[in-house]
Amino acid sequence: MEIPYVVNPRKDTGLFNSKIAIWLFLASEVMLFGGLFSGYVFLRIGADYPWPERTLPVLPGLINTFILIASSVTVVFAWAALKMRKWRQFQIFMGITVACALIFMVFKGVEYGVKFKHQALRMNDFTMVEGHIGYVKAKGGDDHADDHADDHGEEHGDDHAADYARDVHGEKIEANQHVFAAESVAFNLARYHKPWAEDLIAEAAREGVEVKLAETLDFNAGEGGEEPVFEAGTVLSMDLLDDLADAYADNLTRNATWRKRYLRKAWDIKWEDVEENNLLGEASFAADFPKALELESDERKKAYTRWKAGMRARMAQDVTIDEVKLSSGSKPVTIDDESYASRELPAPGSAKFTCSKPLVLRQKSHDVITDYKADNSTISLRDGTSLAGAYKPSPMDFHDVDGIDFQHLAMDAEKRNLDPEITIENSWLVKNNPVVADLWTMHKDAIAQLEQNLIDHYGYRKGKDGKPLEDAAGNPVAKRVPTEKDRYRMGWQEIAYYMDLLDKHEGEGVPKIDLPKDANAAPKVTMTPKEHFMGPDYGTRSFPHLTIPRSEVLLDAKFTPKWNSYYAIYFTITGLHGLHVIGGAIVLAYYLFFGRSMYLSNPEWLANRVEVGGLFWHFVDLVWIFAFPIFYLM
Amino acid sequence: MSATATHDELHHDHHDPGFVRKYIFSTDHKMIGLQYGITAGLFLLFGFFLMIAMRWSIAFPHEPLPGWIAMFFPDGWEARWLQDGKLTGDAYNMFGAMHGTIMVFLGVVPLGFGAFGNYVTPLQIGAPDMAFPRLNMMSYWIYLAGGLVMCASFFMESGAAKSGWTNYSPLAGIADGQIVNQWLAGQTQWLIGLVLLITSSLLGSVNFITTIINLRARGLTWMRMPFFVWAMLVTGFLLLLAFPPLEAAGIMQLMDRVAGSSFFMPSGLYTSAEGLMEISGGGSPLLFQHLFWFLGHPEVYVLLLPAIACVAEIIPANTRKPLWGYKAMVYGVLVLGFLSFIVWAHHMYMTGMGPVVSTFFQTTTVLISIPSVILLTSLIISLWQGSIRFTPAMIWACAFLPMFGIGGLTGLPLAFNLVGLHLHDTYYVIGHFHYVVAPGILFGLFAGVYHWYPKITGRFMSRFLSHLHFWPSLICMNLIFFPMLTQGMAGFHRRWYNGGDSYLATDPESANVFGRTVAEHIDLNIVMSYAAWAMALAQVPFLINLVWSKLAGRKVESDNPWNATTLEWATPTPPGHGNFTTEPVVYRGPYEYSRPDHDEDFLPQWTEPKKPAEKPEESPAAH
């Protein structure tokens, strides 16, 4: 059997099979990315927070765009070379195409990597702080500039190993964590999370804390026999937890099986009673509902239906596992002359352990279910584990703050008819941190100058009649004003600029800003070429340090999908696009490296395949051409 | 390709593949079709079983499940999910969500499109196989993987998905939040399964459309294609274009669950379990509904078209007259396919989209009834003045017409957003779409099984058992679904796990009109439940018939036992790998029955005309 039109096109349709298929497939891809792009539009239009604009580094994205466009051209050349049966030329062009794909993915990987290491925080008043956390030693602030070189590369060795907080596995802790000194721990035996229990045991061993079962758990109601008994004082281990969980599950199952049997028996008894005494008959209806006799026959029928239905619900109250209420009194439910109570085995759902001294545990904020209050004496974790003890101070320590953003706070203030600037000055961060207060003073100064520069350069708006426009308060309206982002966000370039001035004028109070009289002047440091790709160079730039107490923390995230819907849709679309790039590159590389034998036996078939692969590759390019402006430029 | 080469190839392919290549990892469209059919059948039984358990909880919410239902649950599972042997609300939600999911995504679509489409389409267009046989195989295995991933989650700590088959966020976004490793939560597994299923059906639809466009036999022009093939073509396009937006939604919801994003999570979401959720918020729950129903509505036609397609083949073959209005039906189905993309928001009248949007979708929804009515009317008129043979397939096809008619007509009121205020999420809606899917679509597919069984196995199905299957099924179906319409108008909500029992605690004389109305109609629950259980019994003859007839059924004497006209009957019985022994050539339209100029009452597409207009290379195989 041979499938026709694999290589040569069918005459009346003019197409070979895979060409139809790839166009159909691309149609479905259009719908897939169409769904995602319309998701972008929907999310952006409906955003109830300031949508991050122009937040990604444009240069690498732009380079990537040209790389992809170039690869789309070379893939056509590769196909043309095959059509002309020039294998060598095909190899060269296809090689360039695959290489372009690799370069694209490297740029993408760098861009992603920077995001995954970058911490963001939303405070209770919607102030946003961006930077890096988890670096302990630099908290004091004196020597941080020297140590920064190590911050971003493991390659520098472990010289400063002690500078980081580390967990039991020796991993650097770069997450927002609750620190809790636990005096006792109660595990939920149905669903405790094994890795956490293992960490807890390791932490206890490291700290020399003994964790022991608080009270004897007898799963056999003191009767001895097969079922296990766990003595108080048994030391916590994974085996012990396993055994406890098994014992719990066994007893639960046994009890449930018996409960079901007793309940069935109880209902059997009840139904016998119902039938014997005709409890659902008209006579009972009339007895229970004397007014029935006065009703019209139609109404009476309805009332009877309702009464009967209601009786079933009421009967459920008469039936329990131990006892059934009957018309003649009540009757205990027994099976083989035994009651359920005599068969029931204890099945405690949790096992409590006490610690010989408070055991300090760290848990990611996301995994702590209880709302934070400094005087909480118990907290519960996502897996149902409950810890009793006391909170330790667990602030978020930022050692390189490279972004302070009041846009959301300002938006919120405007919504409530408050002056955004006053609200910012009253925010926790500005009030409690002198460095941030200085930065804000300088920023306000800079923006005022920027506003003036714009007016000097562009002037005021005029109405149709040529007269200057006035706003409600009678002030002239400038043609161009600083954007919300200019006003309320200090990015890393601004912060580095202000910090530089602060360092130069140390001890002289808040330095004055002196922007050049130019509409394009901005209070920013100039990026080095490396910084275009990797973000700020923490080794040479100076950034402030902040300690944000736990009580001010509302939401934290790396620059990942969790941070906001912009990053969510950015990672989803570019991630899926990246998978398409990888998939396409693998297929094209397969033709390049393993296509030789097909080229020799059936070159037209290989050309068809490259054509189909090339069509896919063009589509991948097209998606990027849509993705680039909406994520990088808008 | 010479005739000898074909024969050699066939010979080669018949004997070479071992058991695994022939029955398991087969690339033959017929074997894949059977695999789809059997797998989908098992999923249908499983989904039906879930409903049997749910119906107990609805009818007798206070009594433990009886032994004949409970015996299917492992003890440990029962202890975890049942309360004293009764379904808990959680377990009911789980069963409900999975019943819908299984029936739609794992049962009916794979049966209609995967099984019938795969088996019959290449035969009817005279192709040796699908255009991409290995893709076809992959499509089946991805489908199976998706189905197993979804169902395996019943045995995880979280249990299976429990937020309805529509999986609306934020409910679906927060469900199973207590599970630390989100990849092992049922709600996440549902999404993974869904993405796999969508991938499978995308591969399938690309394959189908390519096959139909490019592998048609010589002489099989577009308007000579059987209606079945047209329906499959449109179904393919619906799957191709409607599923990807749901895949986008699935990926986004997956991100919400495992990456903590807030695509569908509004700002300030507060839950009893976690308090203020630690999420960024700012997402749009409405976006999920739009993306879901953009698939969800075309999906209805993905379910329906294969069933109509089967019926459209069976009716001409058994009335011995041409399909009435073939052209109108073809254009009707194309228009139907197009319109089905712009009616989706009629599922969302209650979301507050605004009157303009609602009015638009109300209009398109009413419009789509026109092509539906064209299809159904043509089928009904096809019966007129026919000399009907009531074969097993034909009785099912005949029952399909009124049953689907009820399903369609009960849908009309739901098209209006005013009526939606009252009927939204009630049993009326459940009754409406079950009339479409269960006695409608499933009857059509049953008809298909009885019709093509002789071609697949070479034996007829037992006539007695098929009647034993048909009549109880017909009665039970109506006893199950008609009372739902009544209950729905009385206000019964579709997700009550105890069938509205909580409204019975009210005094019969109380002024609570809603409670009293519910009480008056609550006895119907018991009728419907008994009917559902009887329905299960009624399927036993069918299962016996399937197996028994294969082993001991009456053998077919010709390759064309129904004296039908379309190409699948030109193949050997059962067709071998490569299907046709000689290259088929088509000379005429698909439904040439009772032609006055012809002695027999049927003239197959492949029969050479007496005075040939064009001379084929070799004589076509006519038996």
Side-chain angles (χ1 to χ4, degrees):
Chain A
M1 183 197 74
E2 195 180 292
I3 307 287
Y5 315 117
V6 170
V7 181
N8 299 314
R10 178 181 165 122
K11 266 189 193 131
D12 58 348
T13 61
L15 298 161
F16 51 89
N17 294 342
S18 51
K19 200 158 173 179
I20 301 179
I22 195 70
W23 279 111
L24 292 170
F25 179 69
L26 292 184
S28 87
E29 289 275 52
V30 166
M31 296 304 287
L32 172 67
F33 280 96
L36 290 167
F37 281 117
S38 52
Y40 171 91
V41 173
F42 221 91
L43 290 169
R44 185 163 181 169
I45 289 175
D48 53 4
Y49 56 95
W51 185 263
E53 290 170 2
R54 290 163 281 127
T55 53
L56 296 173
V58 174
L59 189 62
L62 191 66
I63 294 174
N64 260 351
T65 309
F66 286 118
I67 288 174
L68 267 197
I69 291 176
S71 74
S72 273
V73 176
T74 54
V75 83
V76 175
F77 287 164
W79 170 71
L82 266 189
K83 279 284 195 188
M84 293 183 289
R85 307 286 184 264
K86 289 180 180 166
W87 175 253
R88 187 78 203 145
Q89 214 176 344
F90 163 75
Q91 277 184 311
I92 292 169
F93 283 120
M94 194 51 104
I96 297 174
T97 309
V98 174
C100 283
L102 289 177
I103 298 170
F104 178 91
M105 288 314 294
V106 168
F107 276 117
K108 203 85 230 147
V110 171
E111 195 177 303
Y112 274 23
V114 170
K115 306 257 168 312
F116 290 149
K117 288 195 163 180
H118 202 180
Q119 176 72 39
L121 162 70
R122 183 195 283 177
M123 295 172 63
N124 283 338
D125 58 7
F126 292 109
T127 307
M128 312 287 184
V129 178
E130 298 162 15
H132 295 268
I133 60 168
Y135 187 63
V136 176
K137 190 178 170 189
K139 199 163 53 178
D142 287 331
D143 55 349
H144 67 269
D146 311 327
D147 297 337
H148 275 151
D150 299 327
D151 194 359
H152 282 271
E154 296 279 331
E155 69 271 21
H156 288 269
D158 277 332
D159 301 348
H160 299 275
D163 298 346
Y164 296 94
R166 285 177 189 272
D167 65 12
V168 284
H169 306 294
E171 301 285 328
K172 277 190 267 180
I173 299 172
E174 289 180 271
N176 165 24
Q177 288 182 319
H178 290 237
V179 186
F180 195 79
E183 283 156 19
S184 72
V185 184
F187 289 99
N188 180 323
L189 291 180
R191 57 184 181 91
Y192 68 94
H193 188 51
K194 282 197 172 138
W196 290 358
E198 279 163 7
D199 285 359
L200 188 144
I201 292 170
E203 185 68 30
R206 195 166 76 164
E207 298 292 324
V209 180
E210 287 194 326
V211 186
K212 289 174 174 173
L213 195 58
E215 51 200 35
T216 302
L217 291 178
D218 181 354
F219 281 86
N220 199 25
E223 286 177 14
E226 297 165 27
E227 301 296 333
V229 179
F230 299 91
E231 297 292 342
T234 317
V235 176
L236 172 66
S237 68
M238 289 313 287
D239 288 345
L240 177 65
L241 277 178
D242 268 355
D243 293 345
L244 279 166
D246 285 349
Y248 165 67
D250 286 350
N251 281 11
L252 195 70
T253 307
R254 232 191 88 162
N255 285 348
T257 311
W258 279 113
R259 285 180 73 86
K260 175 182 71 185
R261 284 188 208 163
Y262 274 88
L263 195 63
R264 278 197 197 135
K265 177 91 184 274
W267 272 101
D268 286 346
I269 297 170
K270 186 71 198 172
W271 285 121
E272 268 172 35
D273 182 46
V274 168
E275 292 200 352
E276 268 173 28
N277 298 302
N278 199 13
L279 292 182
L280 292 178
E282 296 261 2
S284 305
F285 168 58
D288 198 30
F289 188 50
K291 284 185 190 164
L293 297 173
E294 301 162 18
L295 296 171
E296 301 280 319
S297 68
D298 196 37
E299 277 298 299
R300 191 184 144 89
K301 209 172 141 193
K302 276 188 176 180
Y304 178 52
T305 318
R306 285 201 296 266
W307 174 84
K308 231 172 35 172
M311 275 301 280
R312 279 210 317 277
R314 263 169 281 160
M315 264 180 330
Q317 294 163 5
D318 297 345
V319 178
T320 66
I321 282 167
D322 310 306
E323 200 179 50
V324 188
K325 268 189 227 157
L326 302 174
S327 45
S328 56
S330 61
K331 189 180 171 187
V333 184
T334 57
I335 293 178
D336 300 336
D337 293 334
E338 280 202 65
S339 67
Y340 171 72
S342 68
R343 285 201 156 104
E344 187 175 21
L345 292 172
S350 74
K352 189 176 165 189
F353 291 83
T354 44
C355 309
S356 56
K357 60 183 182 192
L359 174 62
V360 177
L361 295 170
R362 296 163 171 280
Q363 205 75 34
K364 280 188 187 158
S365 169
H366 175 73
D367 298 327
V368 178
I369 298 291
T370 322
D371 278 348
Y372 171 81
K373 287 189 193 75
D375 58 354
N376 272 0
S377 62
T378 59
I379 62 171
S380 58
L381 307 184
R382 192 163 288 277
D383 69 342
T385 307
S386 170
L387 306 175
Y391 257 110
K392 306 276 278 183
S394 38
M396 283 182 75
D397 288 321
F398 282 83
H399 55 90
D400 285 312
V401 173
D402 52 15
I404 295 173
D405 193 327
F406 294 114
Q407 286 181 88
H408 199 161
L409 184 149
M411 191 184 94
D412 200 45
E414 276 163 7
K415 233 186 257 171
R416 293 185 284 142
N417 273 331
L418 299 173
D419 183 288
E421 295 202 349
I422 295 173
T423 318
I424 290 169
E425 262 136 48
N426 284 327
S427 72
W428 186 93
L429 196 60
V430 175
K431 274 199 152 173
N432 289 276
N433 193 297
V435 181
V436 175
D438 288 353
L439 291 178
W440 174 247
T441 311
M442 294 160 84
H443 187 64
K444 253 194 335 190
D445 195 1
I447 294 303
Q449 293 181 28
L450 174 62
E451 197 163 6
Q452 192 56 50
N453 283 352
L454 289 172
I455 290 172
D456 291 348
H457 193 268
Y458 295 101
Y460 294 101
R461 286 176 68 183
K462 286 180 182 157
K464 277 179 187 162
D465 51 0
K467 286 181 191 165
L469 279 181
E470 288 179 354
D471 65 9
N475 299 318
V477 183
K479 262 191 182 160
R480 291 186 58 178
V481 291
T483 62
E484 296 282 297
K485 189 180 166 189
D486 291 335
R487 279 184 203 279
Y488 300 124
R489 180 186 161 83
M490 291 183 271
W492 77 262
Q493 283 173 284
E494 283 91 347
I495 291 180
Y497 180 82
Y498 301 140
M499 286 301 284
D500 196 33
L501 284 177
L502 272 179
D503 285 348
K504 277 184 196 153
H505 302 272
E506 214 179 332
E508 300 169 20
V510 183
K512 278 280 170 218
I513 301 288
D514 193 14
L515 278 188
K517 291 280 171 206
D518 175 0
N520 292 320
K524 282 180 177 181
V525 293
T526 337
M527 280 193 264
T528 62
K530 194 186 164 203
E531 283 174 330
H532 272 291
F533 295 90
M534 308 293 295
D537 178 356
Y538 298 98
T540 55
R541 309 275 187 204
S542 163
F543 290 103
H545 298 266
L546 292 181
T547 297
I548 315 278
R550 163 80 27 212
S551 54
E552 293 299 322
V553 173
L554 183 61
L555 173 78
D556 81 289
K558 301 286 179 200
F559 277 76
T560 55
K562 190 184 172 189
W563 179 227
N564 57 35
S565 297
Y566 168 77
Y567 281 101
I569 192 79
Y570 157 75
F571 275 105
T572 307
I573 290 186
T574 59
L576 264 182
H577 175 262
L579 288 177
H580 279 72
V581 171
I582 292 172
I586 288 174
V587 171
L588 294 181
Y590 177 82
Y591 299 150
L592 174 61
F593 295 117
F594 301 98
R596 180 72 184 165
S597 60
M598 183 180 254
Y599 176 72
L600 295 175
S601 64
N602 196 341
E604 191 59 21
W605 196 354
L606 183 64
N608 284 350
R609 289 184 159 196
V610 170
E611 184 180 359
V612 163
L615 282 170
F616 177 76
W617 198 249
H618 280 65
F619 172 79
V620 172
D621 191 11
L622 191 68
V623 171
W624 181 256
I625 285 173
F626 279 97
F628 176 65
I630 67 167
F631 289 121
Y632 291 75
L633 305 179
M634 286 165 72
Chain B
M1 190 166 78
S2 73
T4 20
T6 317
H7 188 75
D8 284 347
E9 290 256 12
L10 273 176
H11 189 78
H12 179 75
D13 284 351
H14 266 301
H15 292 91
D16 200 32
F19 178 83
V20 171
R21 288 299 304 275
K22 192 168 176 201
Y23 293 107
I24 298 173
F25 294 105
S26 171
T27 54
D28 183 352
H29 73 98
K30 298 179 292 298
M31 185 48 68
I32 294 171
L34 291 179
Q35 287 175 329
Y36 261 116
I38 292 167
T39 316
L42 292 175
F43 276 124
L44 282 174
L45 286 177
F46 181 50
F48 187 29
F49 167 73
L50 296 179
M51 181 41 69
I52 282 172
M54 288 162 77
R55 287 254 40 125
W56 181 274
S57 178
I58 294 169
F60 308 112
H62 304 291
E63 292 177 56
L65 292 175
W68 59 271
I69 297 178
M71 70 183 187
F72 293 101
F73 301 129
D75 280 350
W77 193 91
E78 212 179 35
R80 167 76 179 81
W81 289 105
L82 269 49
Q83 174 72 42
D84 298 345
K86 296 176 283 191
L87 275 190
T88 56
D90 268 354
Y92 182 91
N93 283 344
M94 214 157 87
F95 281 24
M98 290 306 286
H99 167 78
T101 307
I102 289 171
M103 289 309 203
V104 172
F105 293 118
L106 302 177
V108 178
V109 172
L111 186 60
F113 189 66
F116 283 104
N118 246 314
Y119 200 99
V120 179
T121 310
L123 295 178
Q124 282 200 337
I125 62 171
D129 202 319
M130 296 289 260
F132 306 102
R134 272 181 295 180
L135 207 62
N136 203 12
M137 177 178 81
M138 210 161 104
S139 165
Y140 168 76
W141 286 101
I142 295 176
Y143 150 68
L144 184 64
L148 292 180
V149 162
M150 276 187 178
C151 292
S153 58
F154 269 106
F155 298 99
M156 292 195 293
E157 163 58 26
S158 63
K162 49 189 81 59
S163 312
W165 81 280
T166 52
N167 221 41
Y168 281 177
S169 273
L171 188 62
I174 59 173
D176 293 346
Q178 80 282 10
I179 303 298
V180 179
N181 183 350
Q182 268 300 315
W183 292 102
L184 296 181
Q187 204 67 47
T188 315
Q189 298 274 311
W190 189 92
L191 292 168
I192 297 169
L194 187 77
V195 170
L196 288 174
L197 292 178
I198 294 173
T199 310
S200 151
S201 63
L202 284 182
L203 297 180
S205 56
V206 166
N207 210 345
F208 269 77
I209 300 172
T210 309
T211 307
I212 295 172
I213 291 179
N214 239 23
L215 298 194
R216 277 168 294 127
R218 209 142 58 83
L220 187 62
T221 56
W222 290 103
M223 282 325 231
R224 283 181 183 175
M225 283 197 326
F227 180 76
F228 186 96
V229 181
W230 276 108
M232 286 300 159
L233 185 67
V234 173
T235 310
F237 271 107
L238 294 183
L239 283 174
L240 185 78
L241 301 177
F243 248 138
L246 181 65
E247 187 161 28
I251 291 169
M252 283 153 105
Q253 205 178 61
L254 200 61
M255 293 285 281
D256 278 3
R257 299 191 63 82
V258 298
S261 61
S262 297
F263 282 119
F264 305 128
M265 309 291 249
S267 298
L269 189 62
Y270 192 96
T271 70
S272 60
E274 287 193 44
L276 188 63
M277 295 277 290
E278 208 187 292
I279 51 168
S280 69
S284 167
L286 197 58
L287 175 60
F288 182 84
Q289 297 196 18
H290 278 299
L291 291 174
F292 182 88
W293 287 114
F294 188 84
L295 156 92
H297 203 82
E299 177 80 359
V300 173
Y301 296 96
V302 170
L303 298 169
L304 171 66
L305 291 181
I308 284 207
C310 291
V311 172
E313 294 305 298
I314 291 162
I315 285 183
N318 290 296
T319 52
R320 314 309 295 163
K321 62 191 274 285
L323 190 62
W324 194 89
Y326 165 79
K327 272 191 183 171
M329 283 183 77
V330 168
Y331 293 128
V333 80
L334 292 174
V335 171
L336 185 83
F338 171 73
L339 283 178
S340 73
F341 281 102
I342 46 169
V343 296
W344 79 86
H346 66 216
H347 296 266
M348 299 161 57
Y349 287 149
M350 299 289 277
T351 56
M353 299 176 294
V356 178
V357 183
S358 291
T359 308
F360 172 80
F361 283 102
Q362 181 172 305
T363 313
T364 53
T365 305
V366 175
L367 275 180
I368 204 172
S369 59
I370 296 171
S372 315
V373 168
I374 289 177
L375 294 184
L376 194 64
T377 314
S378 296
L379 290 173
I380 293 172
I381 298 177
S382 296
L383 299 175
W384 189 254
Q385 290 190 330
S387 48
I388 300 178
R389 303 184 308 201
F390 283 104
T391 59
M394 189 60 180
I395 52 175
W396 288 98
C398 288
F400 165 89
L401 301 173
M403 291 296 107
F404 175 68
I406 296 176
L409 291 175
T410 50
L412 276 179
L414 291 173
F416 299 98
N417 59 28
L418 257 179
V419 184
L421 285 176
H422 179 60
L423 293 179
H424 185 87
D425 260 359
T426 63
Y427 263 97
Y428 182 87
V429 178
I430 302 279
H432 152 65
F433 72 72
H434 277 87
Y435 254 112
V436 173
V437 180
I441 291 166
L442 279 182
F443 276 20
L445 296 178
F446 277 135
V449 173
Y450 286 102
H451 187 63
W452 280 294
Y453 191 88
K455 175 53 68 185
I456 296 168
T457 60
R459 289 169 190 269
F460 288 103
M461 288 181 93
S462 153
R463 215 182 161 83
F464 171 72
L465 286 173
S466 67
H467 278 270
L468 205 57
H469 176 202
F470 173 74
W471 294 104
S473 291
L474 182 66
I475 294 165
C476 289
M477 283 287 189
N478 285 288
L479 283 178
I480 299 170
F481 299 118
F482 205 85
M484 283 188 183
L485 302 172
T486 316
Q487 279 197 336
M489 285 188 273
F492 278 62
H493 192 275
R494 64 188 286 189
R495 301 198 197 275
W496 284 344
Y497 81 99
N498 53 12
D501 181 75
S502 5
Y503 287 95
L504 296 180
T506 43
D507 192 297
E509 289 169 78
S510 128
N512 180 350
V513 178
F514 183 70
R516 274 163 42 196
T517 316
V518 168
E520 270 158 33
H521 295 90
I522 205 163
D523 275 349
L524 290 174
N525 279 339
I526 298 175
V527 177
M528 285 145 71
S529 290
Y530 276 115
W533 302 325
M535 202 23 218
L537 273 183
Q539 304 315 303
V540 175
F542 176 64
L543 298 176
I544 295 174
N545 204 350
L546 275 183
V547 180
W548 182 82
S549 300
K550 168 84 180 115
L551 302 175
R554 185 163 59 88
K555 283 191 178 156
V556 295
E557 278 119 32
S558 98
D559 282 336
N560 189 358
W562 308 122
N563 291 340
T565 51
T566 43
L567 272 182
E568 74 268 36
W569 306 104
T571 59
T573 307
H577 198 46
N579 298 340
F580 294 88
T581 43
T582 53
E583 193 196 333
V585 181
V586 172
Y587 298 97
R588 59 187 65 79
Y591 305 112
E592 303 280 330
Y593 290 101
S594 303
R595 270 173 67 143
D597 59 349
H598 193 67
D599 294 340
E600 282 176 306
D601 69 346
F602 70 110
L603 185 53
Q605 287 188 288
W606 65 89
T607 307
E608 209 176 332
K610 277 174 190 152
K611 288 172 191 166
E614 51 171 325
K615 198 174 162 57
E617 283 169 13
E618 60 241 7
S619 65
H623 298 269

